[in-house]
Amino acid sequence: MAYDRNNIFARIIRGEIPCSTVYEDDHVLAFKDIEPKRNIHVLVIPKGPYEDMTAFAAQASEAEIVAYIRAIGLVAEKLGVDVDGYRLIANTGANGHQEVPHLHVHIVGGEPVGPMLKAK
Ligand code: AMP
């Protein structure tokens, strides 16, 4: 599927829509989720045009991949959730219930986040 250059996160990267920035470098942007599901809820996105982790893993440069993984750790430290723990979530595609078609990892924490998934 072709990357949608007008998805909401692409527009945030271009500065067309505001966000509450937590961290930014050449390759990565992290900002607060607009509808936080836990006390701390931050989204970490690559600035490049990757719709999900599958595309990112296959197409991103090594510099982008290194920057993204390092940024996730840095943001967790910056938020202080590394001390008591946190959850990373990367919803992917229809079955993964991905709403925004630009790769994003949710960092949720600041309180217990509960079991990983409800039983079926
Ligand atoms: P997902 O279901 O993994 O695609 O999650 C998309 C997330 O993006 C949701 O948690 C939304 O609350 C969040 N979101 C949507 N629009 C914005 C926005 N303009 N700024 C910050 N977060 C947003």
Side-chain angles (χ1 to χ4, degrees), residues 4 6 10 17-18 25-27 32 40 52 58 60 64 66 73 77-78 90 94 96 99 101-104 107-108 120:
D4 170 13
N6 285 319
I17 294 175
D25 65 28
D26 287 349
H27 295 299
K32 292 182 181 173
I40 291 175
D52 59 21
E64 289 175 301
V66 169
E77 283 185 346
K78 189 168 182 178
E99 293 173 0
H102 182 110
L103 171 60
H104 50 285
I107 298 179
V108 287
K120 287 171 75 176

Side-chain angles (χ1 to χ4, degrees):
M1 202 168 77
Y3 177 77
D4 170 13
R5 293 191 171 272
N6 285 319
N7 77 75
I8 196 146
F9 293 170
R11 298 184 67 201
I12 285 174
I13 291 165
R14 290 199 294 268
E16 296 168 4
I17 294 175
C19 71
S20 181
T21 301
V22 171
Y23 172 87
E24 182 168 16
D25 65 28
D26 287 349
H27 295 299
V28 183
L29 178 65
F31 52 94
K32 292 182 181 173
D33 195 291
I34 203 165
E35 290 182 32
K37 308 298 188 298
R38 290 294 183 274
N39 286 340
I40 291 175
H41 188 169
V42 166
L43 303 172
V44 188
I45 67 174
K47 289 184 174 175
Y50 307 107
E51 77 179 62
D52 59 21
M53 187 63 81
T54 316
F56 185 71
Q59 298 161 19
S61 68
E62 291 187 11
E64 289 175 301
I65 292 170
V66 169
Y68 191 53
I69 299 298
R70 287 212 194 284
I72 291 168
L74 283 172
V75 171
E77 283 185 346
K78 189 168 182 178
L79 296 168
V81 294
D82 57 314
V83 178
D84 291 328
Y86 58 97
R87 180 168 297 154
L88 299 178
I89 301 169
N91 297 321
T92 304
N95 280 0
H97 208 282
Q98 180 178 4
E99 293 173 0
V100 179
H102 182 110
L103 171 60
H104 50 285
V105 168
H106 300 248
I107 298 179
V108 287
E111 60 183 321
V113 299
M116 185 175 72
L117 291 173
K118 283 186 184 166
K120 287 171 75 176

